[in-house]
Amino acid sequence: MSDHPEHPADPAVPAGPAEPVLPADPDALRPESRLVHPTPVDPGGRPMGIPLHQSHLFAFESSEALTAAFAGPDGAFFYNRFGNPTVRSLEDAVAELEGGAAALATASGMGAINTVLLALLRSGDHVIAQRSLYGGTFAMLADLAERWGVELTHVGGDDPDEVAAALRPNTRLLHLETVSNPTTRVTDLPALIAVAKRAGVLSVVDNTFATPLLCRPIEHGADVVVHSATKYLGGHSDVLAGIAVFADAELHRTVWHYATELGASADPFAAWLTLRGLQTLALRVRRHCDTALDLATRLSAHPAVTAVHYPGLPFHPDHELARRLLPAGHGGVLAFDLAGGREAARAFTGAVRLASLAPSLGGVHTLVLHPASTSHRQLSDEELAAAGIGPGTVRVSVGIEHPEDLWADLEQALAKP
Ligand SMILES: *Cc1c(COP(=O)(O)O)cnc(C)c1O
């Protein structure tokens, strides 16, 4: 994916990076000079791990070669804000997984979302966005509306007619999430994106919860897919990163250009950690899905639980849609409501032992969270109810521990007063 056929490298210009050019006899240099220029070792064999290019700068043989590097995202690497080989390896890997033309890795998921929105929107544009959005995205869109003159309409995730009715002549972008947090409602991507497409409106889908192994929004017409790679792609609670994948190389080029000015580019080490995580993504996602369905089923039969939200359960409101859109599995996040309300939820989240009380998801460790007092604490009781979140709703990001150990932990925590 690094050779975009649209932008073939100019064969007349030699590409960097070059071997270090030192005086004929490097040993003749004084220690002060030699220390700054150690000689790298050629590994000989092919490294099985993707090499970590922890260099923010690359040198060239000629000024022509450096000039050529400035031409665009497909030129040689010269400065990390514009690109880095380790970061590009991650971008290529995720672009391929999502079925996109090219990708842009960023310092965080919010970095990816902001880069895309700021690159594609201008004052006076209208955005249609889902109502139930990741908190940071919701706040960012509200800020664009309040301070930057972007018009904003929120819609649900299931009614194409509502999207059609929201369209204005200046509508530029539709922003959706494949699966919503924390109630795991599934968005009807094909139907909603089709409305946008007919109107010439760009569709951006946050696919963090589904991962490209369960859903590939570009196949359903999305123009841009964004991820918090902090979650499943990285998967080990050790890296903050994001990525945006573009269906079209020209759109990637536009956003890349803006990204080089914004400065939210991914750090090579973060990209390297994410690449390391990606190698086990398929195994992890399989395990997350299997264990989540198992725990959701057992929770549904527990007397302290009044409702379980997991798209894999037959009584989930989006179960049929989930079977179509996420045929390989329904993800690792579930939520459930406790009969005892707010106090019971607080007691439960404080009583887990194998699971941890922490506000993230998508990693190998099982995490629990009480949205009403943490991620969604700004919402009034009415707003919470409108979002399907009860005072006693608990979210679980199911990890890859043994399901029996997890169930034993949830059961003992449910037994606490
Ligand atoms: C976590 C998350 C984000 C933000 O990602 P960061 O890496 O924390 O910046 C965006 N969208 C969704 C759905 C998320 O879960």
Side-chain angles (χ1 to χ4, degrees), residues 235-254:
H236 294 75
S237 314
D238 53 11
V239 62
L240 186 76
I243 195 158
V245 182
F246 301 85
D248 171 73
E250 268 316 306
L251 196 61
H252 167 255
R253 202 177 179 78
T254 303

Side-chain angles (χ1 to χ4, degrees), residues 108-111 113 134 137 177 206 208-209 228 230-231 240-241 361:
S108 67
M110 284 314 300
I113 292 165
Y134 180 74
T137 310
E177 293 181 358
D206 185 330
T208 300
F209 273 50
S228 169
T230 311
K231 314 292 167 55
L240 186 76
L361 62 106

Side-chain angles (χ1 to χ4, degrees), residues 37-60:
H37 298 276
T39 308
V41 170
D42 181 343
R46 176 171 57 88
M48 294 300 292
I50 294 282
L52 170 57
H53 291 277
Q54 189 68 42
S55 177
H56 97 84
L57 196 58
F58 298 84
F60 291 79

Side-chain angles (χ1 to χ4, degrees), residues 151-344:
E151 298 169 21
L152 178 62
T153 307
H154 284 295
V155 295
D158 56 354
D159 184 3
D161 293 341
E162 190 189 6
V163 175
L167 285 169
R168 299 176 190 173
N170 56 337
T171 305
R172 169 81 172 141
L173 194 141
L174 173 67
H175 191 101
L176 306 172
E177 293 181 358
T178 313
V179 179
S180 75
N181 175 42
T183 54
T184 69
R185 293 299 303 263
V186 180
T187 301
D188 195 344
L189 297 181
L192 270 52
I193 292 172
V195 173
K197 235 185 185 55
R198 277 197 296 277
V201 168
L202 292 170
S203 296
V204 178
V205 177
D206 185 330
N207 199 32
T208 300
F209 273 50
T211 83
L213 293 177
L214 300 182
C215 180
R216 307 206 316 160
I218 289 173
E219 287 175 356
H220 303 294
D223 298 288
V224 187
V225 176
V226 291
H227 280 276
S228 169
T230 311
K231 314 292 167 55
Y232 289 102
L233 303 186
H236 294 75
S237 314
D238 53 11
V239 62
L240 186 76
I243 195 158
V245 182
F246 301 85
D248 171 73
E250 268 316 306
L251 196 61
H252 167 255
R253 202 177 179 78
T254 303
V255 177
W256 172 85
H257 208 278
Y258 181 76
T260 66
E261 294 165 4
L262 186 68
S265 327
D267 178 77
F269 185 52
W272 185 86
L273 280 171
T274 309
L275 276 163
R276 184 163 149 79
L278 274 186
Q279 292 181 314
T280 55
L281 182 66
L283 294 172
R284 287 186 284 109
V285 166
R286 184 73 265 139
R287 177 81 168 196
H288 289 303
C289 290
D290 289 349
T291 308
L293 180 58
D294 179 32
L295 296 180
T297 306
R298 297 198 209 196
L299 282 165
S300 321
H302 196 284
V305 174
T306 55
V308 180
H309 313 278
Y310 186 67
L313 296 174
F315 48 79
H316 184 282
D318 304 320
H319 182 61
E320 278 313 310
L321 175 62
R323 281 164 57 111
R324 259 194 296 129
L325 207 59
L326 311 156
H330 303 101
V333 176
L334 63 88
F336 60 91
D337 300 343
L338 284 169
R342 191 174 287 266
E343 279 321 306

